[in-house]
Amino acid sequence: MELVDSHAHIDFPQFADDREAMLDRARAAGVSALLAIGTGPGPEKLDSALPFADRYDWIYASIGIHPHEAKQATPQHLEELSILAKHPKVIAWGEIGLDYFYDHSPRDVQHRVFRDQMALARDAKLPIIIHCRDAWADCLALIDEVWRPTGIGGILHCFTGTVGEVRRGLDAGFMISFAGNSTYPKTQHIRDAAKEVPLDRILIETDSPFLAPQPYRGKRNEPAYIAEVARTLANVRNLLPEEFAATTAANFRSFFQLVRPPDSPASIS
Ligand code: NI
C-alpha cells in the first residue's frame, strides 16, 4: 500500500530516542512521501523541519508560526520565514490559523499573525496549512477575505468541522486532510464530513506524535500508523484501502506538483 502522510511533527522531542527507527518503520509501512511540519517548538526555531527535507528525498518541509505561539512572533521572525520559504523543499506555509480552544495567544494577536503569514505565503506563492480549533467562523471569514483571492489554496489540516464547513473549505480551494481522530468510535461527524469531500480533494495525515488512530489510541502516534486512517476512510468511501491510499498519495503529489522520488517502489522510469 502506497501512503503519504501529509502532516507530521517529526522534529518533536517525543521522537528523540528512536527518530531514525521511526522513519524506517514509516518506509516499511509504505510511506512514500511525508510533509514535516516546521512550526517546531515556536518562533525560536523556524527551520525545524528543514534538516529532514535536506537529508531525505521523500520528506518535504513546511515553515510557519502556530497560532499557539502567535504572541511570540516578531517582525524579525516573519522576515526569517520569508527567507526560509525560498528553500526548494519548503512546499507549504503552516500550520497557521486560529485556536480558540486553548487560547494560548490572545485572539487579536492570533488574527494579526495569521493575516501577516497569509500575506507572506502569497508573496512566496506557497499553499497554506490551516490549524483551526473552535474558531471555524473567524477562520473561514479570514480565509475568504485574505486567501481565497490568491487562488493558491491549501490544506485544512486535521479536519474536525461540520459538513457545511467542509463545503466552505472546498469552495475556497482547499484540500481536506483527515487525521487519526477520524478513526475513533465517537467521531462519526468527521467520517460524515469525509463522505462529502470529492475524492481528488482528500488527504490523510497522522499529525504525529498526536492523535494516534484507534488501535494505538493513547500512545505516541507515528507516520507508520497512517495506514489505519487510510483503512477507516476507505471503508467510509466504499473503496479498497490500497485504492484509497493511492488516491490520497496522488492527490498530495498533484496538489504540490511533486515528482515521485526515484527510490519509490511504485516509480516508473
Ligand atoms: Ni499539527
Side-chain angles (χ1 to χ4, degrees), residues 7-9 12 37 39 66 95 131 157-158 205 207-208 210:
H7 191 116
H9 299 268
F12 273 27
I37 302 302
T39 45
H66 194 285
E95 54 193 286
H131 171 104
H157 129 75
C158 191
E205 64 176 91
D207 204 13
S208 299
F210 311 113

Side-chain angles (χ1 to χ4, degrees), residues 193-246:
K195 276 185 213 162
E196 291 298 310
V197 182
L199 257 192
D200 62 351
R201 305 284 292 277
I202 296 192
L203 298 173
I204 53 175
E205 64 176 91
T206 57
D207 204 13
S208 299
F210 311 113
L211 293 174
Q214 190 60 28
Y216 310 101
R217 196 170 178 181
K219 301 197 177 107
R220 182 191 71 174
N221 197 7
E222 62 173 70
Y225 301 164
I226 189 71
E228 297 300 329
V229 180
R231 278 191 198 100
T232 297
L233 295 184
N235 190 33
V236 164
R237 301 296 302 234
N238 291 317
L239 291 169
L240 294 171
E242 293 75 13
E243 267 180 304
F244 181 77

Side-chain angles (χ1 to χ4, degrees), residues 181-203:
N181 52 357
S182 66
T183 66
Y184 300 163
K186 286 186 180 161
T187 56
Q188 187 57 43
H189 66 286
I190 302 180
R191 291 185 288 279
D192 289 342
K195 276 185 213 162
E196 291 298 310
V197 182
L199 257 192
D200 62 351
R201 305 284 292 277
I202 296 192
L203 298 173

